[in-house]
Amino acid sequence: MTITIALFTRDLRVRDNPMLTAAVGEGAAVVPLFVVDEQIVAGRSSPNRARFLAAALAELDTELHAAGGRLVVRYGDVVDEVDRIVRDVHADSVHVARDVSWYSRKREAALRERLAARSCLLHAHPGSITAVDPAELSPSSGRDHFAVFTPYYRRWLNTPLRRPLHAPRELIVPTPVTGEPLPDYAARDRTGSPRLAVGGAITGRKLLTEWLSGAVLDYANHSDDLASDATSRLSPYLHFGCLSPTEVRTRTDLSSAGGQAFARQLAWRDFHHQLLAARPDAGWHDYRSRRTAWREDPAAAAAWRGGRTGYPVVDAGLRQLLEEGWMPGRARLIAASFLTKTLGIDWRIGAEHFRDWLVDADVANNQLNWQWVAGTGTDTRPNRVLNPLRQAERHDPDGEYVRRWIPELAHLPGAAVHRPWRAAVPADIYPAPLVEFPGM
């Protein structure tokens, strides 16, 4: 009997999963496997993401049970645990989704080398992590990746997509395979907030259906409106692969302005993945060199992390991050610009803070968005600075967002909340601005 292993990584779903479909198509029996690498979960991954991961694995297990299977969970080094199961069940092959980060590439290479010693094949499948695979698009100039988003987006829109794949109807798991209990990381939740996003493929598809059934129509007009909370909040489900980017793109109606704006955000996600695929060191090294040195100011960095910069629109986003493990896209841009362009502090400090708290942070989108704002990335206007006062006037004109997250300023009416120094708010209640901007 042919036995194969379906190794789940950042593709925690059964619908439209090329890796799982290929494994089921090859093997008479399949081992659906997820290895909890505690070095990643306890080290590089945030506690908030660990909690989301646990919920996603539970929903994946539920979906596998519906097909007669189950999720086999192991704890330890991924290569070692896969090797043990290959040995125990005499598996002929292992299937895994291809990813772009330095870690995933190293993992794939190590798996291939280890499995070769057992005459076991490793199949790495593209088309799982992004809607358009990074290898599909390249500039006509002969370069290995697009360095500017707009021409990439034009090509992305015109790239034919594969049809989403159905979930397997039946799974047969070899009976000798044993696993460990599903992880429970609720105690690691750093926010303590019931608003922290948790879920998996079942929850994600429900949220996607609700989003596409109506709210997406207003996305073009309100996505930057901080108070309205008009974004999809689907990014954690895309990060963990609970939702297929291909299916999300296929189901999005581009005939509306809202659908087009939403699809554009999916394209930004793919754009950053194709950039990281070509330049894996961009996760921690400047994509483009910076002429001036970053300023070292631990006190200012600490004030920024804690939402105590003295600029309410900056601080509100950072406090939401600490409370919910999430921030709207516009709030992320404002906070990142303030740290890098206003305070002159290294983008890596901010990126690390976001990775520590965000439920949806990954190397491609988190780090490369930070580089875009910092002027070391792909922004064609690397010197642009987001004035927090102007940003507040445009995206929180009535101050509702600020009052929601900075309760000590809730008594200030309307737009006055954005300039608490004019109301002589005591410094022990809310701090004075770290720096001055024109128009204060």
Side-chain angles (χ1 to χ4, degrees):
M1 179 175 67
T2 302
I3 298 177
T4 188
I5 296 173
L7 177 60
F8 289 92
T9 52
R10 281 210 302 143
D11 55 339
L12 305 182
R13 62 183 186 273
V14 299
R15 288 179 54 172
D16 194 41
N17 189 326
M19 177 278 296
L20 181 61
T21 299
V24 172
E26 178 186 338
V30 178
V31 181
L33 173 66
F34 186 87
V35 180
V36 180
D37 187 339
E38 284 289 356
Q39 287 188 340
I40 299 297
V41 174
R44 301 179 196 175
S45 183
S46 80
N48 294 338
R49 286 196 298 282
R51 180 179 168 186
F52 192 100
L53 170 64
L57 291 175
E59 292 195 9
L60 174 61
D61 186 48
T62 297
E63 291 199 308
L64 290 169
H65 272 283
R70 60 187 171 88
L71 183 64
V72 176
V73 176
R74 293 287 182 90
Y75 294 78
D77 177 78
V78 175
V79 176
D80 289 343
E81 293 304 320
V82 171
D83 185 49
R84 288 190 182 98
I85 292 184
V86 168
R87 178 198 62 197
D88 293 344
V89 303
H90 305 290
D92 300 279
S93 62
V94 174
H95 293 260
V96 67
R98 175 158 287 159
D99 208 339
V100 299
S101 70
W102 176 86
Y103 170 78
S104 64
R105 291 181 177 191
K106 181 181 177 182
R107 178 185 60 203
E108 181 182 327
L111 275 170
R112 195 176 301 280
E113 180 179 359
R114 180 77 68 87
L115 297 179
R118 296 192 183 278
S119 299
C120 179
L121 296 176
L122 177 68
H123 302 286
H125 297 274
S128 291
I129 307 301
T130 55
V132 176
D133 191 70
E136 284 193 48
L137 299 184
S138 58
S140 56
S141 63
R143 296 188 62 185
D144 59 355
H145 71 287
F146 282 89
V148 178
F149 175 72
T150 301
Y152 174 86
Y153 180 54
R154 286 195 290 263
R155 288 278 299 278
W156 185 89
L157 278 176
N158 294 318
T159 300
L161 299 179
R162 60 172 175 79
R163 291 184 177 181
L165 303 167
H166 295 292
R169 294 183 177 180
E170 183 180 14
L171 281 170
I172 299 175
V173 181
T175 53
V177 178
T178 60
E180 300 293 331
L182 289 165
D184 180 6
Y185 294 129
R188 297 189 185 185
D189 171 13
R190 298 180 66 175
T191 68
S193 170
R195 291 188 293 268
L196 177 69
V198 290
I202 299 171
T203 302
R205 285 199 306 275
K206 178 182 177 182
L207 293 175
L208 176 63
T209 298
E210 293 174 353
W211 170 252
L212 294 178
S213 67
V216 70
L217 297 176
D218 295 325
Y219 185 72
N221 296 324
H222 299 295
S223 62
D224 283 334
D225 182 355
L226 293 171
S228 66
D229 195 16
T231 58
S232 71
R233 293 209 179 209
L234 294 174
S235 53
Y237 300 89
L238 287 166
H239 167 65
F240 283 96
C242 307
L243 287 175
S244 157
T246 299
E247 185 174 4
V248 174
R249 166 67 178 82
T250 302
R251 292 179 59 184
T252 300
D253 183 2
L254 299 185
S255 66
S256 69
Q260 292 175 19
F262 180 57
R264 187 179 178 89
Q265 294 306 309
L266 291 173
W268 268 109
R269 183 177 182 274
D270 281 10
F271 172 71
H272 285 144
H273 277 75
Q274 65 92 36
L275 194 155
L276 190 66
R279 299 289 186 273
D281 64 332
W284 286 110
H285 296 285
D286 291 348
Y287 177 75
R288 291 175 176 163
S289 61
R290 173 182 164 89
R291 294 181 179 179
T292 57
W294 296 108
R295 192 171 67 91
E296 292 188 14
D297 191 337
W304 178 86
R305 291 189 193 97
R308 304 280 298 172
T309 70
Y311 282 92
V313 75
V314 176
D315 295 340
L318 290 163
R319 294 191 191 185
Q320 183 180 12
L321 172 64
L322 300 181
E323 177 70 20
E324 291 191 340
W326 191 85
M327 297 169 72
R330 175 55 55 177
R332 300 186 195 200
L333 293 176
I334 294 171
S337 178
F338 190 86
L339 183 73
T340 59
K341 296 292 183 61
T342 302
L343 298 179
I345 293 174
D346 195 328
W347 64 268
R348 280 159 280 249
I349 292 175
E352 182 66 20
H353 182 65
F354 273 25
R355 276 182 58 112
D356 197 30
W357 287 92
L358 282 172
V359 179
D360 62 6
D362 58 39
V363 176
N365 293 296
N366 186 53
Q367 265 82 331
L368 294 179
N369 268 316
W370 267 95
Q371 291 223 50
W372 188 90
V373 176
T376 61
T378 61
D379 188 4
T380 56
R381 294 171 52 200
N383 295 319
R384 80 172 82 202
V385 178
L386 300 183
N387 183 316
L389 297 176
R390 292 178 183 173
Q391 291 292 307
E393 291 167 358
R394 293 173 183 171
H395 305 300
D396 190 31
D398 298 322
E400 182 181 342
Y401 179 71
V402 164
R403 279 187 291 274
R404 184 183 305 160
W405 294 107
I406 308 182
E408 63 266 37
L409 299 180
H411 64 286
L412 297 179
V417 75
H418 295 304
R419 292 176 171 84
W421 49 87
R422 291 185 177 179
V425 174
D428 60 337
I429 300 297
Y430 183 75
L434 291 177
V435 295
E436 294 187 3
F437 268 95
M440 290 181 65

